[in-house]
Amino acid sequence: MSEKVQILLIEDNPNDVKLALHAFKKHNLTNYVRVVRDGAEALEFIFCTGAHAGRRLEDCPNVILLDLKLPLVDGLEVLRRIKADPRTRVIPVVVMTSSREESDLVECYQLGVNSYIVKPVDFDQFVEVVRQLGFYWLLLNQAPVPGITNGAT
């Protein structure tokens, strides 16, 4: 039996993973966070293939926190595939990256990202950003259920 993932954190930096998990736990924002450390595993998890073939696509995360600089498959390609598939395009994706490149920002929004945040370097600021993200995307935001369409084209 699979647990419902509330947050999918796609991050290869162990320090950033540790800080994010600390912030979520400290502020009681989520019961279940799944961490994947490269773009290939992220795609397998999201689309229920490979090692994650036993998952149900309907059990998609409430929000995906995505780093751009990932091994195997970069974050832009992960975002491209999520937003290109009608089954997953409504899943909110927040890019959390160290990239301040205007070209990354523009491309992410062209691909359909819901938010783009440059990771703060300061520990306390990073924890506060993660807290605010969790609060907004898990408690305030109302998102449609993935896979359900209204028939509009």
Tab-separated table of all heavy atoms in Angstrom, residues 18-45:
chain	number	residue	atom	x	y	z
A	18	LYS	N	18.435	18.230	3.780
A	18	LYS	CA	18.383	18.229	5.249
A	18	LYS	C	17.683	19.485	5.767
A	18	LYS	O	16.831	19.410	6.664
A	18	LYS	CB	19.803	18.127	5.803
A	18	LYS	CG	19.875	17.994	7.295
A	18	LYS	CD	21.324	17.800	7.741
A	18	LYS	CE	21.416	17.687	9.247
A	18	LYS	NZ	22.793	17.502	9.693
A	19	LEU	N	18.020	20.645	5.211
A	19	LEU	CA	17.403	21.895	5.646
A	19	LEU	C	15.902	21.913	5.350
A	19	LEU	O	15.095	22.338	6.185
A	19	LEU	CB	18.066	23.091	4.951
A	19	LEU	CG	19.455	23.473	5.425
A	19	LEU	CD1	20.012	24.611	4.570
A	19	LEU	CD2	19.440	23.869	6.885
A	20	ALA	N	15.522	21.468	4.164
A	20	ALA	CA	14.099	21.460	3.792
A	20	ALA	C	13.308	20.527	4.706
A	20	ALA	O	12.247	20.901	5.224
A	20	ALA	CB	13.940	21.054	2.331
A	21	LEU	N	13.829	19.330	4.932
A	21	LEU	CA	13.127	18.380	5.797
A	21	LEU	C	13.018	18.918	7.229
A	21	LEU	O	11.986	18.771	7.885
A	21	LEU	CB	13.820	17.017	5.775
A	21	LEU	CG	13.763	16.272	4.439
A	21	LEU	CD1	14.564	14.979	4.516
A	21	LEU	CD2	12.329	16.009	4.011
A	22	HIS	N	14.070	19.574	7.679
A	22	HIS	CA	14.053	20.193	9.012
A	22	HIS	C	12.954	21.255	9.088
A	22	HIS	O	12.198	21.314	10.068
A	22	HIS	CB	15.419	20.810	9.324
A	22	HIS	CG	15.435	21.657	10.553
A	22	HIS	ND1	15.419	21.138	11.826
A	22	HIS	CD2	15.433	23.007	10.699
A	22	HIS	CE1	15.424	22.126	12.705
A	22	HIS	NE2	15.426	23.267	12.047
A	23	ALA	N	12.857	22.090	8.068
A	23	ALA	CA	11.855	23.157	8.066
A	23	ALA	C	10.439	22.591	8.055
A	23	ALA	O	9.567	23.064	8.795
A	23	ALA	CB	12.060	24.070	6.863
A	24	PHE	N	10.190	21.572	7.243
A	24	PHE	CA	8.853	20.972	7.208
A	24	PHE	C	8.487	20.366	8.556
A	24	PHE	O	7.373	20.545	9.050
A	24	PHE	CB	8.761	19.904	6.121
A	24	PHE	CG	8.808	20.449	4.730
A	24	PHE	CD1	9.604	19.851	3.772
A	24	PHE	CD2	8.059	21.555	4.362
A	24	PHE	CE1	9.652	20.349	2.477
A	24	PHE	CE2	8.099	22.058	3.073
A	24	PHE	CZ	8.901	21.458	2.130
A	25	LYS	N	9.444	19.654	9.149
A	25	LYS	CA	9.175	19.005	10.437
A	25	LYS	C	8.969	20.039	11.536
A	25	LYS	O	8.037	19.931	12.337
A	25	LYS	CB	10.329	18.069	10.791
A	25	LYS	CG	10.096	17.283	12.059
A	25	LYS	CD	11.205	16.294	12.327
A	25	LYS	CE	10.918	15.509	13.591
A	25	LYS	NZ	11.976	14.559	13.895
A	26	LYS	N	9.828	21.044	11.565
A	26	LYS	CA	9.757	22.076	12.601
A	26	LYS	C	8.407	22.780	12.601
A	26	LYS	O	7.879	23.136	13.651
A	26	LYS	CB	10.877	23.097	12.377
A	26	LYS	CG	10.881	24.237	13.365
A	26	LYS	CD	12.029	25.193	13.083
A	26	LYS	CE	11.971	26.371	14.038
A	26	LYS	NZ	13.024	27.344	13.767
A	27	HIS	N	7.820	22.967	11.428
A	27	HIS	CA	6.567	23.714	11.318
A	27	HIS	C	5.355	22.813	11.108
A	27	HIS	O	4.276	23.307	10.777
A	27	HIS	CB	6.689	24.756	10.202
A	27	HIS	CG	7.752	25.771	10.494
A	27	HIS	ND1	7.624	26.733	11.468
A	27	HIS	CD2	8.992	25.949	9.967
A	27	HIS	CE1	8.711	27.471	11.514
A	27	HIS	NE2	9.559	27.011	10.620
A	28	ASN	N	5.536	21.502	11.283
A	28	ASN	CA	4.426	20.538	11.184
A	28	ASN	C	3.598	20.727	9.914
A	28	ASN	O	2.370	20.744	9.962
A	28	ASN	CB	3.502	20.651	12.411
A	28	ASN	CG	4.234	20.331	13.686
A	28	ASN	OD1	4.945	19.337	13.773
A	28	ASN	ND2	4.084	21.190	14.679
A	29	LEU	N	4.281	20.856	8.781
A	29	LEU	CA	3.573	21.154	7.541
A	29	LEU	C	3.227	19.936	6.705
A	29	LEU	O	2.457	20.037	5.765
A	29	LEU	CB	4.395	22.127	6.693
A	29	LEU	CG	4.406	23.543	7.243
A	29	LEU	CD1	5.409	24.402	6.512
A	29	LEU	CD2	3.024	24.146	7.151
A	30	THR	N	3.805	18.815	6.997
A	30	THR	CA	3.520	17.678	6.137
A	30	THR	C	3.747	16.373	6.873
A	30	THR	O	4.596	16.278	7.742
A	30	THR	CB	4.367	17.729	4.853
A	30	THR	OG1	3.965	16.668	4.010
A	30	THR	CG2	5.840	17.627	5.130
A	31	ASN	N	2.983	15.398	6.509
A	31	ASN	CA	3.159	14.065	7.067
A	31	ASN	C	4.065	13.204	6.195
A	31	ASN	O	4.670	12.271	6.678
A	31	ASN	CB	1.808	13.362	7.205
A	31	ASN	CG	0.940	14.044	8.226
A	31	ASN	OD1	1.415	14.495	9.253
A	31	ASN	ND2	-0.342	14.147	7.931
A	32	TYR	N	4.121	13.510	4.910
A	32	TYR	CA	4.892	12.637	4.039
A	32	TYR	C	5.579	13.420	2.928
A	32	TYR	O	4.916	13.969	2.046
A	32	TYR	CB	4.002	11.549	3.440
A	32	TYR	CG	4.802	10.454	2.781
A	32	TYR	CD1	5.574	9.581	3.548
A	32	TYR	CD2	4.823	10.321	1.413
A	32	TYR	CE1	6.326	8.596	2.953
A	32	TYR	CE2	5.582	9.327	0.810
A	32	TYR	CZ	6.319	8.476	1.590
A	32	TYR	OH	7.075	7.504	0.990
A	33	VAL	N	6.900	13.464	3.019
A	33	VAL	CA	7.734	14.080	1.999
A	33	VAL	C	8.545	12.964	1.361
A	33	VAL	O	9.142	12.147	2.068
A	33	VAL	CB	8.710	15.117	2.599
A	33	VAL	CG1	9.616	15.694	1.523
A	33	VAL	CG2	7.951	16.214	3.316
A	34	ARG	N	8.575	12.922	0.059
A	34	ARG	CA	9.409	11.958	-0.665
A	34	ARG	C	10.560	12.734	-1.282
A	34	ARG	O	10.346	13.769	-1.902
A	34	ARG	CB	8.583	11.265	-1.751
A	34	ARG	CG	9.370	10.317	-2.630
A	34	ARG	CD	9.923	9.165	-1.784
A	34	ARG	NE	10.828	8.386	-2.553
A	34	ARG	CZ	10.767	7.069	-2.668
A	34	ARG	NH1	9.832	6.397	-2.039
A	34	ARG	NH2	11.637	6.420	-3.388
A	35	VAL	N	11.771	12.250	-1.098
A	35	VAL	CA	12.954	12.883	-1.662
A	35	VAL	C	13.511	11.977	-2.749
A	35	VAL	O	13.696	10.773	-2.523
A	35	VAL	CB	14.034	13.118	-0.581
A	35	VAL	CG1	15.294	13.719	-1.200
A	35	VAL	CG2	13.501	14.001	0.535
A	36	VAL	N	13.749	12.553	-3.917
A	36	VAL	CA	14.481	11.861	-4.969
A	36	VAL	C	15.667	12.746	-5.339
A	36	VAL	O	15.578	13.968	-5.271
A	36	VAL	CB	13.606	11.511	-6.193
A	36	VAL	CG1	12.526	10.509	-5.822
A	36	VAL	CG2	12.986	12.736	-6.818
A	37	ARG	N	16.773	12.117	-5.711
A	37	ARG	CA	18.027	12.860	-5.829
A	37	ARG	C	18.541	13.054	-7.247
A	37	ARG	O	19.621	13.588	-7.444
A	37	ARG	CB	19.086	12.193	-4.959
A	37	ARG	CG	18.644	12.178	-3.498
A	37	ARG	CD	19.708	11.670	-2.567
A	37	ARG	NE	19.204	11.423	-1.237
A	37	ARG	CZ	18.990	12.356	-0.313
A	37	ARG	NH1	19.223	13.609	-0.592
A	37	ARG	NH2	18.532	12.033	0.879
A	38	ASP	N	17.759	12.637	-8.236
A	38	ASP	CA	18.145	12.916	-9.615
A	38	ASP	C	16.898	12.966	-10.489
A	38	ASP	O	15.823	12.508	-10.099
A	38	ASP	CB	19.165	11.892	-10.143
A	38	ASP	CG	18.616	10.485	-10.226
A	38	ASP	OD1	17.676	10.251	-11.024
A	38	ASP	OD2	19.131	9.594	-9.526
A	39	GLY	N	17.055	13.548	-11.681
A	39	GLY	CA	15.917	13.731	-12.565
A	39	GLY	C	15.328	12.440	-13.102
A	39	GLY	O	14.115	12.341	-13.307
A	40	ALA	N	16.160	11.434	-13.302
A	40	ALA	CA	15.659	10.156	-13.819
A	40	ALA	C	14.740	9.492	-12.794
A	40	ALA	O	13.645	9.021	-13.137
A	40	ALA	CB	16.821	9.235	-14.189
A	41	GLU	N	15.156	9.468	-11.536
A	41	GLU	CA	14.302	8.874	-10.504
A	41	GLU	C	13.033	9.698	-10.317
A	41	GLU	O	11.951	9.159	-10.077
A	41	GLU	CB	15.035	8.741	-9.171
A	41	GLU	CG	14.168	8.035	-8.136
A	41	GLU	CD	14.795	7.901	-6.759
A	41	GLU	OE1	15.911	8.393	-6.530
A	41	GLU	OE2	14.130	7.282	-5.902
A	42	ALA	N	13.153	11.010	-10.448
A	42	ALA	CA	11.972	11.875	-10.322
A	42	ALA	C	10.930	11.497	-11.370
A	42	ALA	O	9.741	11.356	-11.049
A	42	ALA	CB	12.372	13.339	-10.476
A	43	LEU	N	11.360	11.322	-12.598
A	43	LEU	CA	10.418	10.961	-13.669
A	43	LEU	C	9.815	9.584	-13.433
A	43	LEU	O	8.617	9.380	-13.662
A	43	LEU	CB	11.107	11.038	-15.029
A	43	LEU	CG	11.463	12.460	-15.475
A	43	LEU	CD1	12.349	12.421	-16.706
A	43	LEU	CD2	10.205	13.285	-15.723
A	44	GLU	N	10.624	8.640	-12.959
A	44	GLU	CA	10.087	7.309	-12.637
A	44	GLU	C	9.046	7.408	-11.535
A	44	GLU	O	7.999	6.768	-11.609
A	44	GLU	CB	11.211	6.349	-12.204
A	44	GLU	CG	12.072	5.871	-13.342
A	44	GLU	CD	13.114	4.860	-12.889
A	44	GLU	OE1	13.240	4.582	-11.666
A	44	GLU	OE2	13.818	4.339	-13.771
A	45	PHE	N	9.316	8.219	-10.523
A	45	PHE	CA	8.373	8.359	-9.422
A	45	PHE	C	7.076	9.013	-9.898
A	45	PHE	O	5.977	8.513	-9.635
A	45	PHE	CB	8.992	9.183	-8.282
A	45	PHE	CG	8.096	9.283	-7.083
A	45	PHE	CD1	8.105	8.284	-6.121
A	45	PHE	CD2	7.228	10.348	-6.930
A	45	PHE	CE1	7.254	8.346	-5.012
A	45	PHE	CE2	6.378	10.432	-5.832
A	45	PHE	CZ	6.390	9.423	-4.877
